[in-house]
Amino acid sequence: RIVTAVALAAANVWMQLASDPARARLALEAVLEAEPEHEEALALLGEAARASGDAALLHATLVRAAKVSSDP
């Protein structure tokens, strides 16, 4: 779980401070490989997809997030 926390923190830094959604995406994909239903990682991946203009990834991520959402 420490690796997950570090990867999420790195993704936030790359998104917010470095404006680098591609690097954020790499960190988030590592989290999601280990924990496919990680809601925070899915939300951040959606933000990264939106920021990079990747409509296909954004759509796929939103669909995936909706399937695992704990908020009915």
Side-chain angles (χ1 to χ4, degrees):
R1 305 258 181 217
I2 291 174
V3 172
T4 296
V6 170
L8 288 172
N12 273 308
V13 167
W14 286 323
M15 284 293 296
Q16 304 302 320
L17 301 177
S19 298
D20 191 345
R23 290 192 77 178
R25 179 178 172 178
L26 291 174
L28 295 167
E29 288 174 348
V31 171
L32 292 167
E33 188 173 311
E35 299 181 51
E37 296 184 353
H38 195 285
E39 290 185 48
E40 184 179 357
L42 287 168
L44 288 170
L45 184 59
E47 289 180 31
R50 183 178 292 115
S52 65
D54 189 333
L57 177 61
L58 176 58
H59 178 264
T61 302
L62 290 173
V63 169
R64 187 173 169 187
K67 289 178 182 178
V68 302
S69 176
S70 60
D71 185 14

